[in-house]
Amino acid sequence: MRFHQGTVLLVAVLGLARSVGAAEPVTIEYWHINSPTFGGPAAKELVQLFEAKHPNIKVVEKFQPGVYTGLMQQLQVSLAAKRPPAVAQIGYNLTAYAAGQFPHVLLDKYRKSDPAFFKGIPDNIMALGVLGGTLHGIPFGVSTPVMYYNADLFKAAGLNADQPPQTWDELQRQGAIIKQKTGKLAVYLQQPNDEWIDQTLIWGNGGRPLSEDGKRIGWDAPEAMEAMQMWQDMVNKSKIAANLTWEEGLQAFLSGHVAMCLTTIGRQEHMRRNATGFQVRAVPVPRFGSKPLATATGGNVLMIFASDPAQEKAAWEWIKFVLSPEGATIWTKGTGYLPPRAELANDPRYLKPFFDEAPLMKAALQTFPYTKPWVSFPGPRGLEITKILIKARDEVLEGKRPAELILKEATQQANALLPK
Amino acid sequence: MMEATALGAATARSRTRASRRWRGAAVGHLYLTPAIVLTGLFVYWPLVASTVLSFYDWNLVSPTWAAVGWQNYRELIASRAFWMSLVNTGKAAAALTVLTVGVPLLLALAVQRVGPRWRDLYRVVLFSPTVISMAIACAVWLWIFHPLYGVLNTTLRLVGLQGPAWLSSSDSAIWAIILVTVWKTFGFNFVLYIAGLLTIPREMYEAARVDGASERQLVWHVTLPLLAPTTLFVFLSTFILSPQNLFIPTQILTQGGPNEASNNVGYLVYQLGFEYFRVGYASAAATLIFLVFLVLTALQFYLAERRIHYGR
């Protein structure tokens, strides 16, 4: 009897200790696109540090192949099965679709409960997670397009490698010289399965990818048509630009067959390590004449898909951690993405040493104040609109018809798919 | 009395035989049940569900399916992407049929004529691409196709020809995809033909020779007719599997581009369903494509069956 009483007492004490000392552990899933060669180790390091600081939260990080589109496919399926991750990276180009179609947590309430977290994130960056005046996601990865160039090819063409082109006119002049003197192509603008660089050209020439009211696609505006015609002419008339798939274009630049390459700063580490036999440098993308620099912002927001309050709370803690100075430092070092908290770049405790040792990153920092949104097309047919515009670019670069005709047709098709 | 007894015994024997037959059939059905259930569950039920879904608009996430009648089919028939992908699949099926049905047959006939040591070497060389992962093969082909310094265009330049930008040009992209697919599937059909040739009895050739048949007549009147079942299988499997075989090179090399120039029906269904998340629309495409292939396959069966000689 005495034994039984002792056992009961022990169980009661242990139970009390458990309920007082520690809350029930919560496990959340975090989906990302960071492969082992692009930020995967940084994602694991963030999880380890976070779990050390939050012993009651376990984060299961899951890499999703196929970049943002691949992640969206898996996310859609997981939502259909009612087992979504608590937090996922959503590319800026897909944010409107995800916000409009997927059940998720709206984040404006945290502006009130956690004002300190939002301090230090510039408005133009925080705007990347805002749609229709509502905060749907927290900007996490921020990348800008930059222009990498082969300094040795510039020298071989008799050009000053310290003065690469700053405008498209200069690029075309210098490009013609490079082609004539070295026989190499002058430039490659990235052509993956998205229209990021196209939006950069449109913003840069003073256009808008989408009207402010979201009712009209901007690909048939004079600024857009002029920019795309310039690209077509560089490929087909002056023949200084390469029309290649993304992989081919990167290989061509890294092997010294193309002098300049416009792509993401997220590739800086890859460029630095793989440029064979030449010095790679980076500058901001060229401007259109005297117009100010403007580039579409790449990267992703973190959106919360957890429906359980405990999971949502844990997810918010995770987001706060990865965007804290400590988390953002690990993230930027591991990926080359810019930190949403710009001041970290000048802070010797965090990212200043990294930026001092990574000269290519300076081009992105110079671009940072001029970033514009990578417009995500609204409505359930938004993803098809993107594809229509990619197909139009393909046709423009083939050069069989003038850009104006192609873009007007594509815009008409795309406009019909926008929500009325 | 004796007659009645004999009748009773005969009836009993007949019952026993019927009972044995019934039990035999029951056991047969029992053995078949798992296969039938799994096939029904994973082949026929999705087929029915996909056909039903083709009359709805659904994005995988929405709790409701919106009925849209024939709208998905109307939109599909009016879409350039659908017709482009159908034409490209037709081109690919025709090219694959010629290159992976006809050429492996000729090579298999040739390999039969060389000595055993060479025969083994040729088999290994010609079959090797089949065992290489398609994804890895595509990575290698990406390099071969590179317009500036790839092996293909560099070789063409040596003989004074300017090769295209294989993957970026709408004139060449589909042919690049077909080339990779042929390279990958060629060896499998070659091995099937080798196996088919081995099943032809030697006495058929000996009898024909005794009758004075020439070597060409042996091929034409003995080998090809007796190889017909293998040819039919190779032909049908190549044709039916062509959209599936095209999928991976399309995904890795061109994503259907530029501007749909290398798209095909299998990849189109994937794009509609898993890039645009229009599952009903994708199901309509899948249903139409299924019907097209059903008709073509039935036609092939009908035509081929009339000219095929099975067994001895």
Side-chain angles (χ1 to χ4, degrees), chain B residues 158-203:
Chain B
L158 287 177
V159 294
L161 294 172
Q162 183 62 45
W166 290 95
L167 304 175
S168 310
S169 161
S170 58
D171 298 325
S172 58
I174 184 66
W175 298 109
I177 300 287
I178 289 170
L179 183 59
V180 176
T181 313
V182 167
W183 176 83
K184 182 75 174 71
T185 53
F186 175 93
F188 186 67
N189 290 354
F190 168 75
V191 166
L192 288 177
Y193 277 125
I194 294 278
L197 285 171
L198 291 175
T199 64
I200 299 175
R202 307 308 308 165
E203 55 266 34

Short mmCIF file of all heavy atoms in Angstrom, two decimals, chain B residues 158-203:
data_model
loop_
_atom_site.label_atom_id
_atom_site.label_comp_id
_atom_site.label_asym_id
_atom_site.label_seq_id
_atom_site.Cartn_x
_atom_site.Cartn_y
_atom_site.Cartn_z
N LEU B 158 33.62 21.92 -88.69
CA LEU B 158 34.81 21.32 -89.33
C LEU B 158 34.53 20.96 -90.79
O LEU B 158 35.43 20.98 -91.62
CB LEU B 158 35.24 20.05 -88.57
CG LEU B 158 35.91 20.27 -87.22
CD1 LEU B 158 36.21 18.93 -86.56
CD2 LEU B 158 37.21 21.07 -87.40
N VAL B 159 33.25 20.63 -91.07
CA VAL B 159 32.92 20.29 -92.47
C VAL B 159 32.23 21.47 -93.17
O VAL B 159 31.54 21.30 -94.17
CB VAL B 159 32.04 19.02 -92.55
CG1 VAL B 159 32.81 17.80 -92.09
CG2 VAL B 159 30.76 19.17 -91.74
N GLY B 160 32.39 22.66 -92.59
CA GLY B 160 31.91 23.86 -93.26
C GLY B 160 30.44 24.17 -93.06
O GLY B 160 29.87 24.98 -93.79
N LEU B 161 29.80 23.51 -92.10
CA LEU B 161 28.37 23.78 -91.87
C LEU B 161 28.18 24.58 -90.58
O LEU B 161 28.94 24.41 -89.63
CB LEU B 161 27.60 22.45 -91.76
CG LEU B 161 27.55 21.59 -93.02
CD1 LEU B 161 26.93 20.23 -92.70
CD2 LEU B 161 26.74 22.28 -94.11
N GLN B 162 27.15 25.43 -90.57
CA GLN B 162 26.84 26.20 -89.37
C GLN B 162 25.64 25.54 -88.69
O GLN B 162 24.52 25.59 -89.22
CB GLN B 162 26.52 27.65 -89.76
CG GLN B 162 26.24 28.57 -88.59
CD GLN B 162 27.44 28.71 -87.65
OE1 GLN B 162 28.57 28.89 -88.10
NE2 GLN B 162 27.21 28.62 -86.35
N GLY B 163 25.86 24.91 -87.55
CA GLY B 163 24.75 24.25 -86.84
C GLY B 163 23.86 25.28 -86.17
O GLY B 163 24.28 26.41 -85.90
N PRO B 164 22.60 24.90 -85.91
CA PRO B 164 21.68 25.85 -85.25
C PRO B 164 21.93 25.93 -83.75
O PRO B 164 22.74 25.16 -83.21
CB PRO B 164 20.32 25.23 -85.53
CG PRO B 164 20.59 23.76 -85.60
CD PRO B 164 21.98 23.61 -86.17
N ALA B 165 21.23 26.86 -83.10
CA ALA B 165 21.18 26.85 -81.63
C ALA B 165 20.12 25.79 -81.31
O ALA B 165 18.93 26.08 -81.26
CB ALA B 165 20.78 28.20 -81.10
N TRP B 166 20.57 24.56 -81.17
CA TRP B 166 19.66 23.42 -81.16
C TRP B 166 18.45 23.58 -80.24
O TRP B 166 17.34 23.27 -80.61
CB TRP B 166 20.44 22.15 -80.76
CG TRP B 166 21.39 21.72 -81.81
CD1 TRP B 166 22.72 22.02 -81.91
CD2 TRP B 166 21.09 20.94 -82.98
NE1 TRP B 166 23.27 21.48 -83.04
CE2 TRP B 166 22.29 20.80 -83.71
CE3 TRP B 166 19.93 20.33 -83.46
CZ2 TRP B 166 22.36 20.09 -84.91
CZ3 TRP B 166 19.99 19.61 -84.64
CH2 TRP B 166 21.20 19.50 -85.36
N LEU B 167 18.70 24.06 -79.02
CA LEU B 167 17.62 24.09 -78.04
C LEU B 167 16.88 25.42 -78.00
O LEU B 167 15.81 25.52 -77.41
CB LEU B 167 18.18 23.76 -76.64
CG LEU B 167 18.93 22.43 -76.55
CD1 LEU B 167 19.55 22.27 -75.17
CD2 LEU B 167 17.99 21.26 -76.85
N SER B 168 17.45 26.46 -78.60
CA SER B 168 16.82 27.78 -78.54
C SER B 168 16.10 28.14 -79.83
O SER B 168 15.43 29.17 -79.89
CB SER B 168 17.86 28.87 -78.28
OG SER B 168 18.65 28.53 -77.19
N SER B 169 16.25 27.34 -80.85
CA SER B 169 15.62 27.67 -82.13
C SER B 169 14.35 26.84 -82.29
O SER B 169 14.35 25.63 -82.07
CB SER B 169 16.59 27.37 -83.27
OG SER B 169 15.88 27.26 -84.47
N SER B 170 13.27 27.50 -82.70
CA SER B 170 12.00 26.77 -82.84
C SER B 170 12.06 25.78 -83.99
O SER B 170 11.23 24.88 -84.08
CB SER B 170 10.84 27.75 -83.02
OG SER B 170 11.07 28.55 -84.16
N ASP B 171 13.03 25.94 -84.90
CA ASP B 171 13.13 24.99 -86.01
C ASP B 171 13.82 23.68 -85.60
O ASP B 171 13.57 22.64 -86.20
CB ASP B 171 13.93 25.63 -87.16
CG ASP B 171 13.23 26.86 -87.70
OD1 ASP B 171 11.98 26.86 -87.72
OD2 ASP B 171 13.91 27.83 -88.08
N SER B 172 14.68 23.75 -84.60
CA SER B 172 15.48 22.56 -84.30
C SER B 172 15.17 21.92 -82.95
O SER B 172 15.56 20.76 -82.72
CB SER B 172 16.97 22.92 -84.33
OG SER B 172 17.23 23.96 -83.42
N ALA B 173 14.48 22.63 -82.05
CA ALA B 173 14.34 22.13 -80.67
C ALA B 173 13.69 20.75 -80.61
O ALA B 173 14.18 19.85 -79.91
CB ALA B 173 13.57 23.13 -79.83
N ILE B 174 12.61 20.55 -81.38
CA ILE B 174 11.91 19.26 -81.30
C ILE B 174 12.81 18.14 -81.83
O ILE B 174 12.80 17.01 -81.32
CB ILE B 174 10.54 19.29 -82.03
CG1 ILE B 174 9.78 17.95 -81.86
CG2 ILE B 174 10.69 19.58 -83.51
CD1 ILE B 174 9.36 17.64 -80.47
N TRP B 175 13.64 18.45 -82.85
CA TRP B 175 14.52 17.42 -83.41
C TRP B 175 15.63 17.07 -82.43
O TRP B 175 16.08 15.92 -82.39
CB TRP B 175 15.07 17.87 -84.76
CG TRP B 175 13.95 18.06 -85.73
CD1 TRP B 175 13.49 19.25 -86.23
CD2 TRP B 175 13.08 17.05 -86.26
NE1 TRP B 175 12.40 19.03 -87.05
CE2 TRP B 175 12.13 17.69 -87.08
CE3 TRP B 175 13.01 15.66 -86.12
CZ2 TRP B 175 11.12 17.00 -87.75
CZ3 TRP B 175 12.01 14.97 -86.80
CH2 TRP B 175 11.08 15.64 -87.60
N ALA B 176 16.04 18.05 -81.64
CA ALA B 176 17.03 17.77 -80.60
C ALA B 176 16.45 16.80 -79.57
O ALA B 176 17.10 15.84 -79.15
CB ALA B 176 17.46 19.07 -79.93
N ILE B 177 15.20 17.05 -79.18
CA ILE B 177 14.54 16.17 -78.21
C ILE B 177 14.39 14.76 -78.80
O ILE B 177 14.63 13.75 -78.12
CB ILE B 177 13.14 16.73 -77.85
CG1 ILE B 177 13.26 18.13 -77.23
CG2 ILE B 177 12.37 15.79 -76.94
CD1 ILE B 177 13.78 18.18 -75.85
N ILE B 178 13.99 14.70 -80.07
CA ILE B 178 13.81 13.40 -80.72
C ILE B 178 15.14 12.65 -80.77
O ILE B 178 15.21 11.45 -80.49
CB ILE B 178 13.21 13.59 -82.14
CG1 ILE B 178 11.76 14.04 -82.03
CG2 ILE B 178 13.31 12.29 -82.95
CD1 ILE B 178 11.13 14.48 -83.34
N LEU B 179 16.19 13.38 -81.10
CA LEU B 179 17.51 12.74 -81.21
C LEU B 179 17.92 12.09 -79.88
O LEU B 179 18.37 10.94 -79.85
CB LEU B 179 18.54 13.80 -81.63
CG LEU B 179 19.97 13.32 -81.86
CD1 LEU B 179 20.00 12.25 -82.95
CD2 LEU B 179 20.86 14.49 -82.28
N VAL B 180 17.71 12.82 -78.80
CA VAL B 180 18.07 12.27 -77.48
C VAL B 180 17.22 11.04 -77.17
O VAL B 180 17.71 10.03 -76.66
CB VAL B 180 17.89 13.34 -76.37
CG1 VAL B 180 18.17 12.75 -75.00
CG2 VAL B 180 18.79 14.53 -76.62
N THR B 181 15.93 11.13 -77.49
CA THR B 181 15.02 10.02 -77.20
C THR B 181 15.39 8.78 -78.03
O THR B 181 15.36 7.65 -77.52
CB THR B 181 13.56 10.44 -77.49
OG1 THR B 181 13.34 11.71 -76.88
CG2 THR B 181 12.57 9.45 -76.93
N VAL B 182 15.73 9.01 -79.28
CA VAL B 182 16.14 7.88 -80.14
C VAL B 182 17.39 7.23 -79.56
O VAL B 182 17.47 6.01 -79.42
CB VAL B 182 16.42 8.38 -81.58
CG1 VAL B 182 17.16 7.31 -82.39
CG2 VAL B 182 15.12 8.75 -82.28
N TRP B 183 18.34 8.06 -79.23
CA TRP B 183 19.62 7.56 -78.68
C TRP B 183 19.37 6.68 -77.46
O TRP B 183 20.00 5.67 -77.24
CB TRP B 183 20.49 8.77 -78.34
CG TRP B 183 21.79 8.45 -77.68
CD1 TRP B 183 22.94 8.08 -78.28
CD2 TRP B 183 22.05 8.48 -76.29
NE1 TRP B 183 23.92 7.88 -77.35
CE2 TRP B 183 23.40 8.12 -76.11
CE3 TRP B 183 21.29 8.78 -75.16
CZ2 TRP B 183 24.00 8.04 -74.86
CZ3 TRP B 183 21.88 8.70 -73.92
CH2 TRP B 183 23.23 8.33 -73.78
N LYS B 184 18.39 7.12 -76.64
CA LYS B 184 18.13 6.43 -75.37
C LYS B 184 17.33 5.14 -75.57
O LYS B 184 17.56 4.16 -74.86
CB LYS B 184 17.36 7.39 -74.44
CG LYS B 184 17.05 6.83 -73.08
CD LYS B 184 18.29 6.82 -72.21
CE LYS B 184 17.97 6.42 -70.80
NZ LYS B 184 17.63 5.01 -70.66
N THR B 185 16.37 5.13 -76.50
CA THR B 185 15.45 3.98 -76.60
C THR B 185 15.89 2.97 -77.66
O THR B 185 15.39 1.85 -77.69
CB THR B 185 14.02 4.46 -76.94
OG1 THR B 185 14.08 5.30 -78.09
CG2 THR B 185 13.42 5.22 -75.79
N PHE B 186 16.80 3.39 -78.50
CA PHE B 186 17.26 2.57 -79.61
C PHE B 186 17.74 1.18 -79.17
O PHE B 186 17.32 0.16 -79.70
CB PHE B 186 18.40 3.36 -80.27
CG PHE B 186 19.10 2.65 -81.36
CD1 PHE B 186 18.70 2.83 -82.68
CD2 PHE B 186 20.17 1.81 -81.10
CE1 PHE B 186 19.34 2.19 -83.69
CE2 PHE B 186 20.81 1.16 -82.12
CZ PHE B 186 20.40 1.35 -83.42
N GLY B 187 18.58 1.14 -78.15
CA GLY B 187 19.22 -0.10 -77.74
C GLY B 187 18.24 -1.14 -77.22
O GLY B 187 18.43 -2.34 -77.43
N PHE B 188 17.17 -0.68 -76.57
CA PHE B 188 16.20 -1.62 -76.01
C PHE B 188 15.50 -2.38 -77.14
O PHE B 188 15.36 -3.60 -77.10
CB PHE B 188 15.18 -0.85 -75.17
CG PHE B 188 14.23 -1.74 -74.44
CD1 PHE B 188 14.67 -2.55 -73.41
CD2 PHE B 188 12.88 -1.76 -74.77
CE1 PHE B 188 13.80 -3.39 -72.74
CE2 PHE B 188 12.01 -2.60 -74.10
CZ PHE B 188 12.47 -3.41 -73.08
N ASN B 189 15.09 -1.64 -78.18
CA ASN B 189 14.43 -2.29 -79.32
C ASN B 189 15.40 -3.23 -80.04
O ASN B 189 15.01 -4.30 -80.51
CB ASN B 189 13.90 -1.23 -80.29
CG ASN B 189 12.72 -0.48 -79.69
OD1 ASN B 189 12.25 -0.83 -78.60
ND2 ASN B 189 12.26 0.54 -80.36
N PHE B 190 16.64 -2.84 -80.10
CA PHE B 190 17.67 -3.67 -80.74
C PHE B 190 17.76 -5.02 -80.03
O PHE B 190 17.78 -6.08 -80.67
CB PHE B 190 18.99 -2.90 -80.68
CG PHE B 190 20.20 -3.70 -81.02
CD1 PHE B 190 20.49 -4.05 -82.33
CD2 PHE B 190 21.07 -4.11 -80.02
CE1 PHE B 190 21.62 -4.79 -82.63
CE2 PHE B 190 22.20 -4.85 -80.31
CZ PHE B 190 22.47 -5.19 -81.63
N VAL B 191 17.76 -5.00 -78.71
CA VAL B 191 17.85 -6.25 -77.94
C VAL B 191 16.59 -7.10 -78.13
O VAL B 191 16.66 -8.32 -78.23
CB VAL B 191 18.10 -5.92 -76.45
CG1 VAL B 191 17.86 -7.14 -75.58
CG2 VAL B 191 19.51 -5.43 -76.27
N LEU B 192 15.44 -6.43 -78.23
CA LEU B 192 14.20 -7.18 -78.48
C LEU B 192 14.28 -7.91 -79.82
O LEU B 192 13.86 -9.06 -79.94
CB LEU B 192 13.00 -6.22 -78.47
CG LEU B 192 12.58 -5.67 -77.12
CD1 LEU B 192 11.43 -4.67 -77.29
CD2 LEU B 192 12.14 -6.79 -76.18
N TYR B 193 14.82 -7.24 -80.82
CA TYR B 193 14.95 -7.88 -82.13
C TYR B 193 15.93 -9.06 -82.08
O TYR B 193 15.69 -10.10 -82.68
CB TYR B 193 15.44 -6.88 -83.17
CG TYR B 193 14.32 -6.05 -83.76
CD1 TYR B 193 14.38 -4.67 -83.72
CD2 TYR B 193 13.21 -6.64 -84.35
CE1 TYR B 193 13.36 -3.89 -84.26
CE2 TYR B 193 12.19 -5.88 -84.89
CZ TYR B 193 12.27 -4.51 -84.84
OH TYR B 193 11.26 -3.76 -85.36
N ILE B 194 17.01 -8.87 -81.36
CA ILE B 194 17.98 -9.97 -81.22
C ILE B 194 17.28 -11.18 -80.61
O ILE B 194 17.42 -12.31 -81.08
CB ILE B 194 19.16 -9.54 -80.30
CG1 ILE B 194 19.97 -8.42 -80.96
CG2 ILE B 194 20.03 -10.72 -79.92
CD1 ILE B 194 20.99 -8.87 -81.97
N ALA B 195 16.48 -10.92 -79.55
CA ALA B 195 15.75 -12.02 -78.89
C ALA B 195 14.76 -12.64 -79.86
O ALA B 195 14.61 -13.87 -79.93
CB ALA B 195 15.04 -11.49 -77.66
N GLY B 196 14.08 -11.81 -80.64
CA GLY B 196 13.12 -12.30 -81.63
C GLY B 196 13.79 -13.18 -82.67
O GLY B 196 13.26 -14.24 -83.05
N LEU B 197 14.96 -12.78 -83.11
CA LEU B 197 15.68 -13.55 -84.14
C LEU B 197 16.07 -14.93 -83.62
O LEU B 197 16.06 -15.91 -84.35
CB LEU B 197 16.94 -12.79 -84.57
CG LEU B 197 16.69 -11.58 -85.49
CD1 LEU B 197 17.97 -10.78 -85.69
CD2 LEU B 197 16.15 -12.04 -86.83
N LEU B 198 16.41 -14.98 -82.33
CA LEU B 198 16.83 -16.27 -81.75
C LEU B 198 15.68 -17.27 -81.67
O LEU B 198 15.92 -18.47 -81.55
CB LEU B 198 17.42 -16.04 -80.35
CG LEU B 198 18.77 -15.31 -80.32
CD1 LEU B 198 19.19 -15.03 -78.89
CD2 LEU B 198 19.83 -16.14 -81.04
N THR B 199 14.43 -16.78 -81.69
CA THR B 199 13.29 -17.71 -81.58
C THR B 199 12.93 -18.33 -82.93
O THR B 199 12.11 -19.25 -82.97
CB THR B 199 12.04 -16.98 -81.03
OG1 THR B 199 11.67 -15.98 -81.98
CG2 THR B 199 12.29 -16.36 -79.67
N ILE B 200 13.52 -17.84 -84.01
CA ILE B 200 13.18 -18.42 -85.32
C ILE B 200 13.92 -19.76 -85.48
O ILE B 200 15.16 -19.79 -85.38
CB ILE B 200 13.56 -17.45 -86.46
CG1 ILE B 200 12.78 -16.14 -86.31
CG2 ILE B 200 13.29 -18.09 -87.82
CD1 ILE B 200 13.16 -15.07 -87.31
N PRO B 201 13.16 -20.85 -85.70
CA PRO B 201 13.81 -22.17 -85.75
C PRO B 201 14.79 -22.28 -86.93
O PRO B 201 14.47 -21.83 -88.03
CB PRO B 201 12.64 -23.14 -85.95
CG PRO B 201 11.40 -22.37 -85.75
CD PRO B 201 11.71 -20.94 -85.93
N ARG B 202 15.95 -22.87 -86.68
CA ARG B 202 16.97 -23.00 -87.73
C ARG B 202 16.45 -23.83 -88.91
O ARG B 202 16.80 -23.60 -90.06
CB ARG B 202 18.24 -23.70 -87.18
CG ARG B 202 18.87 -23.12 -85.93
CD ARG B 202 19.14 -21.65 -85.99
NE ARG B 202 19.90 -21.22 -87.17
CZ ARG B 202 19.99 -19.95 -87.55
NH1 ARG B 202 19.35 -19.01 -86.86
NH2 ARG B 202 20.69 -19.62 -88.59
N GLU B 203 15.56 -24.84 -88.58
CA GLU B 203 15.11 -25.73 -89.66
C GLU B 203 14.32 -25.00 -90.75
O GLU B 203 14.25 -25.44 -91.88
CB GLU B 203 14.31 -26.93 -89.11
CG GLU B 203 13.14 -26.58 -88.25
CD GLU B 203 13.50 -26.57 -86.75
OE1 GLU B 203 14.66 -26.19 -86.42
OE2 GLU B 203 12.65 -26.92 -85.95
#
